Amino acid sequence: MKTDAAPQGATSYYEAHQKIYPREIKGRFQRLRTLAVFVLLGLYYVLPWVKWGDRQALLFDLPARKFHIFNLTFWPQDFYLMAGLLIIAAVSLFFVTALAGRLWCGYACPQTVWTEVFLWMEHWTEGDRRQRMKLDKAPWGREKILRKTSKQFLWITFSIWTGFTFVGFFTPVTELGARLMTLELGPWETFWIIFYSFATYGNAGYLREQVCKYMCPYARFQSAMFDQDTLVISYDTQRGETRGSRKRGTDHKAKGLGDCIDCTLCVQVCPTGIDIRDGLQIDCIACAACIDACDQVMDKVGYPRGLVRYTTENALENKRTKVLRPRVLIYAGLLLALLVGFGYAISNRTPLLLDIIRDRNALYRMTNQGLIENVYTLKVMNMDTRAHRYSLEVSGLAGIHLDLDDKEILVESGEVATLAARVRVPENGMNESGATITLTLQALDQADLKIVEPARFIGPAPSR
Amino acid sequence: MGQTPSNDNPELEPTGKPWSQRAQDIAAVAWPSFLTGSVATMLFFAFIDPLVLQDATFPSWDLSRMTGYALGFFFFWGIAAVSSALSIFLTRSGTPLTRD
Ligand code: SF4
Ligand code: SF4
């Protein structure tokens, strides 16, 4: 999900950008965001290690072209399900955006989540906003070197761990770890670990909200899903203006002042460096840091909270906010339909596949008994979660007969069995040189688990 | 989008300055083409096994599936990036009339 816009490579252009030093803030929304970081990154770093039976619970096994998701196994043939899942994710994002604005950006986007963790590390090693600004201005000395190296150490270690985990979703992670320890990683494993580590390091360490401002398509098209009733973070201009500083305990209303004491705390905490009081801006990633900052100030000066708050444009204009509006209903309906369809497709999937490949060398063969014989290679894929025994039957021509090495075909869960099938037909059974026959594969232990596939049967041109 | 602090409070300095046009262009080429390239790779390899593709093209080479996926991904990313870059070039280099 990351990019290659490497901070190093782009130094000459990058210099034009001055660093933003967001100030740390505590508050209810920041607690919520921290919780989101722990939940999401917790899932990310832990999930590859979770076992389901004797294999990894979540494994997108690209080398084997099989996806394992808990007890389900998906094959390339199930691709439409994956596509469905992606579409469901996209529609969910539209739905949430129409309803609640950029919640995704503030709480769930990998860009924000990883940036948050990198900020914590920066805070631990380089101190708070003031200390960081001072440190950057200070000449290189013992302390600066020490602080900067420990930050880099944390960042790089964390990035590599992130890259390793990423690859762990695609190759069995325990074996990957063992190979890492003995330095026996394959070339592509090494490459992708470094690629993803580097992308994390660059995006979360350096680019940060610049990604949202300049690179993210979602940031630009989300406004198409917004309307007057969408939940946004906004400054209450009516209540706040005229802004201005004041002495404690003065009756500001009498002096013609609003509730904003112009402390600029909301600007200092903003990771994208904007002033929320200038109105709704496309750069705002809805992180709610300014809400927490302002609430703190309001508490201190004894005014009610919520000068900056989650609200809607209609509410700010003293109009009613409508939650159920056509846009929301359409997205919700679409989402529901997709979910139902998806659930139906998953539960009605026949976890069995039969591939029939004709013998390439000979079209047909005449046996000693004067029968026409066609040879097929069959691939039986058991996509179910347990092993099955199957029987194979063939029909479609008079006197047709099937010859298999074994009467029953045993296929383990998630495996493919390859077998040769010889089909014989007496010469008088065919009145054309080609016919379509039917192969029926039936699980012996489950009546509804069967698959019917047509195949081409070739014989000699009929003599007239 | 240029946010110069409306206030001479020293606490506010420094705020971010917008990226140069060049940097914005690079970002606008690299990231969306990465996204579309990823989607194209997924779609393509969902239907086509790299090993089968290799049999049909360069059977004498010894490539693994992982190599196939990686080559495919960089191919799609590259193609998408070229297209994005050309689009930017075209919109920027039109006659003065079509420029804004
Ligand atoms: S703007 Fe884009 S990159 Fe930034 S948080 Fe939102 S979705 Fe993520
Ligand atoms: S304006 Fe507020 S919510 Fe928006 S990015 Fe800045 S601090 Fe976060």
Side-chain angles (χ1 to χ4, degrees):
Chain A
M1 330 201 66
K2 303 281 163 162
T3 168
D4 71 331
Q8 276 89 332
T11 320
S12 51
Y13 315 116
Y14 191 72
E15 273 162 6
H17 160 63
Q18 266 177 302
K19 212 162 146 185
I20 296 175
Y21 295 84
R23 183 188 182 117
E24 296 75 20
I25 186 80
K26 292 200 176 69
R28 1 176 219 162
F29 294 111
Q30 298 320 296
R31 273 199 298 280
L32 218 69
R33 296 187 71 214
T34 312
L35 186 72
V37 168
F38 273 100
V39 170
L40 293 172
L41 288 192
L43 284 177
Y44 176 81
Y45 291 103
V46 169
L47 267 182
W49 298 96
V50 177
K51 291 264 174 268
W52 188 270
D54 53 359
R55 59 166 174 74
Q56 205 167 312
L58 207 63
L59 179 62
F60 304 102
D61 195 341
L62 290 179
R65 293 176 71 72
K66 274 187 244 173
F67 289 0
H68 301 287
I69 300 174
F70 296 99
N71 62 351
L72 296 171
T73 300
F74 293 96
W75 299 61
Q77 288 80 2
D78 294 317
F79 174 74
Y80 68 98
L81 288 176
M82 282 285 147
L85 217 53
L86 286 181
I87 295 172
I88 288 175
V91 176
S92 315
L93 187 63
F94 292 177
F95 175 65
V96 172
T97 306
L99 209 58
R102 293 174 79 171
L103 274 192
W104 162 260
C105 294
Y107 298 89
C109 179
Q111 181 60 34
T112 336
V113 170
W114 266 308
T115 299
E116 191 70 17
V117 178
F118 273 62
L119 279 171
W120 294 345
M121 293 183 202
E122 194 168 70
H123 192 179
W124 300 334
T125 49
E126 295 187 352
D128 62 22
R129 181 174 192 257
R130 230 183 255 272
Q131 289 165 321
R132 286 203 304 273
M133 285 160 79
K134 224 174 93 194
L135 190 72
D136 276 355
K137 287 209 188 90
W140 282 93
R142 203 185 108 83
E143 172 165 337
K144 185 161 175 177
I145 293 177
L146 213 66
R147 285 186 179 276
K148 291 268 173 192
T149 352
S150 33
K151 177 177 90 175
Q152 291 299 337
F153 175 77
L154 286 182
W155 278 9
I156 292 172
T157 316
F158 188 71
S159 300
I160 293 177
W161 184 30
T162 307
F164 171 80
T165 308
F166 179 73
V167 175
F169 279 97
F170 300 97
T171 18
V173 76
T174 24
E175 291 152 44
L176 190 71
R179 282 202 297 278
L180 180 72
M181 288 304 155
T182 53
L183 299 177
E184 283 170 348
L185 286 179
W188 285 115
E189 288 163 354
T190 317
F191 173 80
W192 289 117
I193 291 179
I194 294 176
F195 184 89
Y196 202 82
S197 308
F198 186 70
T200 311
Y201 176 84
N203 277 318
Y206 293 96
L207 292 177
R208 297 189 175 167
E209 281 71 23
Q210 312 299 318
V211 172
C212 311
K213 270 195 195 175
Y214 299 117
M215 298 157 83
C216 179
Y218 171 67
R220 303 286 169 90
F221 68 62
Q222 40 92 17
S223 50
M225 290 160 243
F226 270 47
D227 57 26
Q228 293 267 314
D229 292 312
T230 300
L231 200 66
V232 291
I233 292 174
S234 182
Y235 165 73
D236 191 337
T237 317
Q238 278 176 28
R239 195 186 133 188
E241 300 297 316
T242 312
R243 64 183 83 156
S245 54
R246 65 213 58 185
K247 285 216 184 66
R248 228 169 209 288
T250 38
D251 182 2
H252 61 290
K253 298 236 168 71
K255 287 173 97 181
L257 287 174
D259 277 0
C260 174
I261 64 165
D262 207 11
C263 65
T264 71
L265 212 63
C266 57
V267 186
Q268 292 172 42
V269 296
C270 179
T272 67
I274 58 177
D275 188 341
I276 187 72
R277 296 170 302 174
D278 294 344
L280 193 59
Q281 289 150 77
I282 197 155
D283 286 358
C284 169
I285 56 164
C287 70
C290 50
I291 302 188
D292 282 333
C294 191
D295 279 353
Q296 249 175 41
V297 175
M298 292 295 111
D299 286 356
K300 244 185 230 146
V301 295
Y303 302 161
R305 286 181 168 193
L307 181 55
V308 181
R309 64 173 184 271
Y310 275 109
T311 180
T312 68
E313 286 190 60
N314 270 343
L316 281 174
E317 289 163 16
N318 299 321
K319 290 187 212 139
R320 271 201 41 213
T321 299
K322 258 181 87 187
V323 176
L324 296 179
R325 45 199 197 274
R327 178 193 295 270
V328 169
L329 293 177
I330 290 171
Y331 286 143
L334 200 60
L335 194 58
L336 198 70
L338 282 167
L339 282 173
V340 169
F342 187 76
Y344 180 83
I346 287 246
S347 52
N348 283 286
R349 189 172 77 117
T350 306
L352 178 61
L353 261 167
L354 174 62
D355 250 9
I356 306 167
I357 306 154
R358 280 191 53 88
D359 186 6
R360 282 191 215 170
N361 298 321
L363 287 177
Y364 66 92
R365 191 178 81 91
M366 299 304 294
T367 65
N368 295 338
Q369 290 84 16
L371 301 171
I372 311 166
E373 181 184 83
N374 279 204
V375 181
Y376 305 88
T377 306
L378 306 182
K379 284 190 195 295
V380 179
M381 291 173 233
N382 177 7
M383 308 197 284
D384 206 0
T385 46
R386 58 198 177 90
H388 286 286
R389 281 176 192 285
Y390 306 94
S391 69
L392 188 68
E393 263 158 35
V394 45
S395 59
L397 286 171
I400 194 163
H401 170 76
L402 172 74
D403 180 17
L404 282 178
D405 294 337
D406 296 302
K407 263 196 102 53
E408 290 177 4
I409 307 158
L410 171 70
V411 191
E412 297 293 335
S413 160
E415 296 291 324
V416 185
T418 306
L419 51 142
R422 289 166 295 275
V423 178
R424 300 192 188 112
V425 174
E427 220 175 329
N428 58 9
M430 289 187 82
N431 38 24
E432 265 178 297
S433 67
T436 301
I437 57 168
T438 309
L439 278 79
T440 308
L441 190 66
Q442 167 74 57
L444 294 170
D445 54 353
Q446 194 179 327
D448 63 346
L449 184 56
K450 75 165 177 187
I451 187 163
V452 181
E453 285 285 342
R456 198 76 192 136
F457 189 91
I458 311 259
S463 44
R464 266 165 231 269
Chain B
M1 264 184 270
Q3 329 87 25
T4 33
S6 54
N7 191 302
D8 42 34
N9 185 339
E11 275 276 284
L12 278 182
E13 290 297 343
T15 42
K17 223 163 86 189
W19 275 9
S20 68
Q21 191 66 63
R22 187 74 176 277
Q24 289 194 39
D25 285 356
I26 292 176
V29 168
W31 180 229
S33 58
F34 175 86
L35 291 177
T36 46
S38 308
V39 173
T41 310
M42 275 173 57
L43 283 172
F44 185 79
F45 287 119
F47 292 105
I48 289 163
D49 182 343
L51 290 183
V52 175
L53 184 65
Q54 189 209 337
D55 279 346
T57 49
F58 305 104
S60 57
W61 297 6
D62 186 22
L63 304 176
S64 68
R65 272 196 180 129
M66 290 317 268
T67 313
Y69 293 133
L71 288 180
F73 168 66
F74 285 110
F75 172 75
F76 286 122
W77 187 8
I79 288 285
V82 168
S83 161
S84 297
L86 280 175
S87 298
I88 288 194
F89 173 70
L90 287 178
T91 46
R92 288 236 195 298
S93 62
T95 55
L97 246 186
T98 58
R99 277 172 103 151
D100 60 289

